[in-house]
């Protein structure tokens, strides 16, 4: 749907600052395309140094999470204004690992979305079903409830900067990938939901990325699906060679 494909890398809890700068440098120097938006999401400590090291490249930098208050007595948290000042253009919201290990809910996803938009950072809201939910025929119900919970109270005009990532939990870090048809079908469902809840403009302009064991070998097939606007890559974004391979395949 989107004219420009995005390839985003989620580096999770990997890399020291020095290693992150080195990886970012390898990606920037090997990047041969300007028709793909490339985003890397390092850990918080590395975000600003990586953003500074990439300032003369087109590679964008994003956060992996943010807190919903802009400042205050919230020990250990990182806010939208801090991320923005550090150079983040995007931020992941409610990644399945945040939901699983840190108890994040639709309510906190909504608060984080509001905080990102307030700070002028593009939120990438992650949704997806577990294996059990897929096998129980609940995929669409789960997507609908995650989307409607996180986007409760928003109006169409507020969502120009929103991106979604369909990340089936059973495909994250497992080596299992959704088939091209499964990915396209889930994305089509999400787009139809956006149209019914908001309007056609939101449905058509919201980029929907697929995430779950994307590699150079399966990226082209997934990205060629009409409803897939790019990919969110975990493990394979930790090596410049495989991340660049995915970008080349896009
Ligand atoms: C992710 O962390 O968002 C992800 C999709 O991980 P992986 O590519 O390793 O499955």
């Amino acid at each position: 749907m989107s004219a420009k494909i995005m390839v985003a890398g989620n580096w999770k809890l990997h890399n020291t600052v020095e290693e992150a700068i080195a990886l970012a440098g390898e990606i920037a120097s090997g990047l041969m395309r300007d028709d793909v938006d490339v985003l890397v999401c390092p850990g918080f400590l590395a975000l600003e140094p990586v953003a500074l090291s990439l300032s003369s490249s087109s590679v964008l930098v994003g956060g992996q999470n943010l807190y919903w208050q802009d400042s205050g007595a919230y020990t250990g948290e990182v806010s939208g204004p801090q991320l923005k000042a550090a150079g983040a253009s995007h931020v992941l919201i409610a990644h399945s690992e945040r939901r699983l290990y840190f108890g994040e809910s639709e309510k906190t996803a909504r608060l984080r979305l509001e905080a990102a938009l307030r700070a002028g950072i593009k939120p990438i809201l992650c949704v997806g079903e577990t294996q059990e939910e897929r096998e129980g025929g609940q995929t669409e119900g789960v997507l609908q409830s995650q989307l409607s919970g996180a986007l409760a109270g928003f109006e169409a005009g507020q969502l120009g900067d929103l991106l979604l990532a369909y990340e089936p939990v059973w495909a994250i870090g497992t080596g299992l990938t959704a088939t091209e048809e499964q990915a396209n079908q889930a994305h089509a469902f999400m787009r139809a939901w956006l149209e019914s809840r908001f309007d056609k403009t939101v449905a058509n302009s919201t980029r929907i990325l697929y995430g779950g064991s994307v590699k150079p070998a399966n990226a082209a097939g997934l990205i060629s699906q009409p409803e897939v606007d790019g990919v969110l890559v975990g493990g394979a974004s930790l090596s410049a060679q495989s991340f660049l391979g995915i970008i080349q395949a896009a």
Side-chain angles (χ1 to χ4, degrees), residues 8-247:
N10 172 14
W11 293 355
K12 310 194 186 192
L13 183 53
H14 294 287
N15 295 329
T16 62
V17 173
E18 204 180 328
E19 289 163 348
I21 292 172
L23 176 56
E26 278 183 73
I27 292 167
S29 61
L31 187 61
M32 315 243 271
R33 298 184 61 170
D34 57 11
D35 59 337
V36 175
D37 282 333
V38 178
L39 171 73
V40 295
C41 300
F44 284 137
L45 282 178
L47 196 146
E48 184 159 28
V50 165
L52 288 171
S53 77
L54 289 172
S55 58
S56 58
S57 115
S58 61
V59 178
L60 301 164
V61 178
Q64 298 176 15
N65 185 27
L66 87 169
Y67 190 53
W68 55 83
Q69 295 288 353
D70 293 345
S71 65
Y74 304 103
T75 303
E77 294 296 337
V78 173
S79 72
Q82 288 176 329
L83 279 183
K84 181 77 179 176
S89 57
H90 292 71
V91 63
L92 303 179
I93 299 218
H95 186 280
S96 64
E97 288 151 15
R98 299 293 318 167
R99 295 174 188 265
L100 181 64
Y101 303 127
F102 303 97
E104 293 197 11
S105 62
E106 308 325 327
K107 181 172 174 227
T108 59
R110 179 171 58 72
L111 293 169
R112 289 176 208 279
L113 274 171
E114 284 170 2
L117 293 170
R118 202 164 58 235
I121 302 176
K122 296 181 170 71
I124 305 178
L125 171 66
C126 303
V127 295
E129 80 288 359
T130 62
Q131 175 103 51
E132 205 179 13
E133 289 163 343
R134 175 160 281 271
E135 284 167 3
Q138 295 164 2
T139 299
E140 293 186 350
V142 169
L143 295 178
Q144 175 160 344
S145 92
Q146 291 179 341
L147 290 171
S148 59
L151 294 171
F154 281 99
E155 286 170 22
Q158 297 173 276
L159 298 179
D161 281 342
L162 175 72
L163 291 87
L164 300 177
Y166 169 58
E167 295 212 307
V169 179
W170 49 271
I172 296 180
T174 58
L176 298 172
T177 314
T179 63
E180 294 161 14
E181 294 70 27
Q182 284 171 328
N184 197 57
Q185 207 174 6
H187 287 218
F189 173 80
M190 289 161 65
R191 213 179 288 287
W193 182 87
L194 285 175
E195 183 170 347
S196 69
R197 165 68 176 79
F198 298 103
D199 58 29
K200 225 181 181 52
T201 307
V202 173
N204 290 340
S205 64
T206 301
R207 278 169 164 181
I208 309 181
L209 313 181
Y210 167 79
S213 298
V214 175
K215 314 180 251 304
N218 60 22
L222 288 159
I223 292 170
S224 69
Q225 295 303 303
E227 299 292 345
V228 176
D229 301 312
V231 285
L232 176 54
V233 187
S237 70
L238 293 170
S239 131
Q241 195 189 1
S242 57
F243 194 56
L244 288 166
I246 292 169
I247 296 166

